[in-house]
Amino acid sequence: AAAANSLAAFPNPAVGLTGILGLEATDRWALFDASGKQVHAGTGPSIDVGPLPTGQYMLQAGDGRVVRIVRSE
């Protein structure tokens, strides 16, 4: 995917599995909490936020694109 393409998360806010529109199966990403600490990393167009504490996170794709994800109650 080209860097010009934006990312979107659905559903968002989420309580479990969240799809990341704009990521391909081989695209790497990292997830950061509000303080900027990396809390998770993976590959592909989905992430399970279920194990994470509630709050706001930033998912950053390997090419630098970012999307905000909210882990709700």
Side-chain angles (χ1 to χ4, degrees), residues 8-20 45-49 69-70:
F10 185 84
N12 192 15
V15 295
L17 196 63
T18 302
I20 309 299
S46 64
I47 178 174
D48 183 6
V49 297
I69 299 174
V70 176

Side-chain angles (χ1 to χ4, degrees), residues 46-64:
S46 64
I47 178 174
D48 183 6
V49 297
L52 299 171
T54 58
Q56 295 189 20
Y57 297 88
M58 292 295 294
L59 181 139
Q60 181 172 9
D63 61 10

Side-chain angles (χ1 to χ4, degrees), residues 18-29 41-47 59:
T18 302
I20 309 299
L21 303 174
L23 287 185
E24 303 297 330
T26 57
D27 289 341
R28 299 186 60 77
W29 50 261
T43 305
S46 64
I47 178 174
L59 181 139

